[in-house]
Amino acid sequence: MSHLLAIDVGTLSARAGLFDREGQLLACASASFELLTPAEHHAVYRMDDIWQAVCRASADCLAQRPELASSVAGVAFDATSSLYIEAEGGAPLDGGGDVICWMDHRGEAEAAEIDATGHRFLAHVGEALSPESNLPKLLWLKRNRPEVWARVRGARDLCDEFARRATDVYRHSVCGLACKWPYLPDEAEPWCQDLLEKLGIGDLTSLGHLRDKPGRVGEVHGRVTASAGAALGIPAGIPVAVGLIDAEAGALGVLGRGYQARMNNLLPMIGGSSTCYMPFAPDKRHVSGVWGPFKDAVFPGYWMHEAGQSLSGTALDAVLNQHPASPGKASSALHLQTADRILKLLEEEGGAFAATRHIVPDWLGNRAPLGDGRVRALATGIGPETGERAFLETYYATARALALQTRHILEHLNANGRYAFDSVALAGGHLHNPLLVCLYRDATGARLILSDTKEPVLLGTAMVAAVAAGFHADLFASLEAMAPAQKALHPDPYWRQVHDAAYRIYLTLFKTRNEIEIAGRALEALSPAKASGAI
C-alpha cells in the first residue's frame, strides 16, 4: 500500500493523478463536465455530472497502471471553491443545477450590503466581501427563491461533497469554512452568528452539519465505501483525507523543501481560469483588499492570505473565442500556437509591439489589491482593426496586463502585510503557456520559481492524501518528503525595462478606472424622479 490517488476538480474538468510516496506522478487522466449559465451572473453545475467526471478520470487514470490500483493507500480531493446545495424535491437552482460555481456573481448587491454592516468578519476578507464567497450567494438564494430555501437541507464546499460521496461521512473541511464562510477558526465561537441574524439568515448554521467541528486538511475524513470504490476503481476501506480548495492544493505543490525558512519571501501563485496568490505567515496580518487572514486554512496554527484575479486564463480564452481574427475556439493547442506567434513578433519588434494597447484586467471585479467585486476592466488602444495583427496585440495586451497586476498584488502584499516577497512560485495551467511564463519572469519584479512537476495541483493534493494514509505526520513533513526540484528564472534586463514602463501605464489606468468607478456610482445613484424630463 504505497501509492496515493489525488483528484482535482477545476472549473470545467476533473483530473486524477496516481503518485508514489516520493511525489512522482505515475499516471494521469481527465474528464470534462458542463458549466451552465442560466441567467446573467449565474453560473451553476449539476453535481451528478461532476461526480461522474470524477469517477471517469479516476478509473481512466488507474487503468493506465492496473497493477497499482490495489496498492492505493490514501485518497484526497481538491476542488474550486464552488458550493453544493443539498435540497429536497429536485434541483434547487435555475437550469437544473445544484452547485453554484465559484465565478457566480449573483450576490454582488448582497456583498455590498454585508460590507455596509462593518462587522468584524470583514477584517478577515480585506474589508470588502467578494460576491464569489458563499454568504452573498446563499443570502441571494434565500431572498429571491424562498420556496427553494425552504427545501434546502445542507450546503457544502465542493471538496467536502466529494469526500462525502466517497465515504458516506458528512464533514466539513476547515479550509473551506475559513476561506469562504463567515467562520473565524481562532475564535471560541467561530460562526459569526450575530452577522447572520442581522442579515436575516440566522438559520444557515442549522443546515446539515455546519455546526459540527470541522476537520483539518489531511486528517481522515472517512473510508472509501464499496460502491464508491467500484466507481473510482480503488479498494474499499482506504482512508479519504479532509480536502481543500484547489488553489491551496496548488500552493502546496510549489512551496518546495525548506519552505518554513523562506515563508516570508516566496509567494505561491496558482494560475488557471482564475489566479490565486497564497502567502502564509505564523502571525495574524490584515491587508486591505486581500482575502484573509484565514487561520488553519492549510497548515494548523498558520495564517493564510488569498489575493487573486477572478478571470485570467478565462480572459485569454475569451480573446480566442470572441476576436474576429481568432484561428478558432480556445484550446491548449491554439493558446500555444498564439503564444509562439507573439513571441516571434516580440523578438522582431521588441517593446514597440502593442505599445499603445493596455488593460486593467478586472473583467469580473478586482479581488486584489482593490477588493471590489463590482469594478470592471478598462482598455486603451481599441480601434476598428479586426485583422490578425489586432488579434495578436489583444492577446498580448491581455496576457501582459495579468502579469503587471501580479506585480501590483505582490508590491501591495509587501507594503501592507510585512511580507518581503522576492520570488514567485508558479503552478497551474499558466505554466503551459510560454508567453505567460516569459511575462511572469520579466514583469513581476521577482524571480520566477518553476517546480519540476507537470501537475503541481495534483501533487499538493497527493501530499494531503499522504498524511491521511499515515505516510507523514503532518503537511510540513509531507511537503519535505514529496516536493519536487525547483529552478529560478531571472528577468531579462531589456524586457524588465520595457515592462517597467508598461507598469507605470497600468498604474495610471488603474487609478483612473477607480476614479471613473466612483463617479459612475454617483451617477447611478441619481433617482429618475429627479430627472427634468425625457431625453
Side-chain angles (χ1 to χ4, degrees):
M1 303 292 286
S2 58
H3 295 92
L4 303 161
L5 180 65
I7 298 176
D8 161 54
V9 178
T11 303
L12 296 173
S13 65
R15 298 179 305 149
L18 181 66
F19 290 82
D20 64 21
R21 63 169 63 216
E22 284 77 40
Q24 295 300 310
L25 179 64
L26 305 176
C28 185
S30 66
S32 62
F33 48 83
E34 186 179 9
L35 173 65
L36 310 171
T37 54
E40 188 77 15
H41 292 320
H42 289 216
V44 304
Y45 304 106
R46 300 183 185 97
M47 186 64 211
D48 286 347
D49 292 348
I50 306 176
W51 179 245
Q52 289 171 12
V54 165
C55 294
R56 287 199 308 274
S58 178
D60 290 348
C61 172
L62 293 165
Q64 297 172 32
R65 299 294 300 269
E67 75 280 10
L68 301 180
S70 61
S71 67
V72 172
V75 182
F77 296 91
D78 77 76
T80 63
S81 53
S82 301
L83 180 66
Y84 171 66
I85 308 292
E86 181 182 359
E88 294 180 344
L93 304 173
D94 294 346
D98 52 5
V99 177
I100 305 180
C101 175
W102 65 266
M103 69 172 68
D104 187 292
H105 262 237
R106 73 182 68 196
E108 286 187 3
E110 286 73 16
E113 178 186 347
I114 296 166
D115 292 346
T117 66
H119 194 273
R120 70 186 188 284
F121 165 62
L122 297 172
H124 291 264
V125 293
E127 304 298 341
L129 185 62
S130 170
E132 294 172 17
S133 61
N134 291 336
L135 181 56
K137 297 170 183 174
L138 291 167
L139 189 56
W140 184 97
L141 188 65
K142 179 168 185 176
R143 290 177 174 177
N144 292 274
R145 301 287 190 272
E147 72 287 356
V148 169
W149 186 258
R151 298 193 286 111
V152 173
R153 296 294 176 265
R156 291 183 287 283
D157 289 281
L158 209 51
C159 66
D160 296 333
E161 175 60 10
F162 295 135
R164 187 205 67 79
R165 291 195 175 211
T167 65
D168 278 344
V169 174
Y170 290 83
R171 198 176 186 193
H172 290 269
S173 168
V174 72
C175 178
L177 291 181
C179 296
K180 300 300 176 183
W181 299 77
Y183 185 92
L184 304 176
D186 60 317
E187 297 194 359
E189 173 46 62
W191 282 102
C192 299
Q193 192 65 34
D194 57 336
L195 174 63
L196 299 177
E197 297 292 348
K198 184 172 184 177
L199 295 168
I201 193 169
D203 55 338
L204 174 62
T205 52
S206 67
L207 298 177
H209 296 260
L210 283 170
R211 277 284 179 185
D212 294 355
K213 183 179 179 181
R216 289 180 169 177
V217 175
E219 291 180 355
V220 176
H221 179 109
R223 294 186 176 273
V224 175
T225 64
S227 58
L232 294 166
I234 54 178
I238 62 176
V240 175
V242 172
L244 71 173
I245 299 170
D246 57 348
E248 281 79 342
L252 270 176
V254 295
L255 294 178
R257 292 183 173 87
Y259 173 65
Q260 283 178 282
R262 55 191 179 126
M263 184 177 290
N264 212 49
N265 305 108
L266 179 69
L267 177 63
M269 170 184 171
I270 302 85
S273 299
S274 63
T275 298
C276 299
Y277 310 83
M278 319 291 294
F280 296 90
D283 56 328
K284 183 192 294 189
R285 307 176 188 184
H286 293 280
V287 183
S288 64
V290 175
W291 301 347
F294 307 123
K295 191 176 184 185
D296 300 336
V298 177
F299 301 111
Y302 284 77
W303 299 81
M304 184 191 81
H305 279 108
E306 180 178 352
Q309 296 166 317
S310 288
L311 297 181
S312 53
T314 302
L316 292 172
D317 286 345
V319 178
L320 280 168
N321 291 336
Q322 298 173 12
H323 198 280
S326 169
K329 294 297 182 183
S331 68
S332 297
L334 283 183
H335 278 296
L336 184 60
Q337 174 186 314
T338 303
D340 286 341
R341 291 161 68 192
I342 292 171
L343 288 170
K344 289 178 182 177
L345 286 170
L346 293 174
E347 286 183 11
E348 297 169 5
E349 302 180 26
F353 180 72
T356 60
R357 288 183 183 263
H358 298 273
I359 298 171
V360 179
D362 295 332
W363 293 276
L364 194 62
N366 178 278
R367 289 192 197 172
L370 185 64
D372 189 334
R374 293 175 292 170
V375 299
R376 291 298 183 263
L378 180 67
T380 68
I382 299 173
E385 299 85 3
T386 58
E388 180 187 39
R389 173 82 180 199
F391 160 69
L392 295 174
E393 288 189 356
T394 300
Y395 190 99
Y396 175 66
T398 303
R400 178 175 59 189
L402 297 173
L404 294 175
Q405 191 166 79
T406 296
R407 176 173 174 176
H408 195 185
I409 291 168
L410 183 149
E411 291 181 355
H412 182 75
L413 287 165
N414 281 350
N416 298 279
R418 305 196 308 280
Y419 293 106
F421 296 127
D422 56 18
S423 303
V424 174
L426 179 62
H430 294 194
L431 276 169
H432 307 300
N433 186 314
L435 175 62
L436 284 174
V437 171
C438 285
L439 285 166
Y440 292 137
R441 181 196 67 193
D442 297 332
T444 61
R447 295 185 308 160
L448 183 64
I449 306 297
L450 302 183
S451 296
D452 187 18
T453 176
K454 293 181 179 179
E455 297 289 350
V457 178
L458 283 172
L459 174 59
T461 305
M463 292 176 183
V464 174
V467 176
F471 290 176
H472 307 293
D474 57 32
L475 287 173
F476 281 122
S478 192
L479 177 61
E480 286 297 315
M482 299 175 68
Q486 294 183 319
K487 65 178 179 179
L489 304 183
H490 297 271
D492 176 274
Y494 169 77
W495 281 108
R496 181 166 187 169
Q497 181 181 8
V498 169
H499 294 313
D500 282 349
Y503 184 55
R504 290 191 290 271
I505 296 171
Y506 159 85
L507 290 176
T508 299
L509 288 178
F510 186 81
K511 180 176 181 292
T512 301
R513 190 282 311 276
N514 296 344
E515 292 171 351
I516 293 170
E517 183 70 23
I518 292 170
R521 290 178 188 176
L523 183 63
E524 186 180 51
L526 293 177
S527 169
K530 298 176 183 177
S532 59
I535 296 176

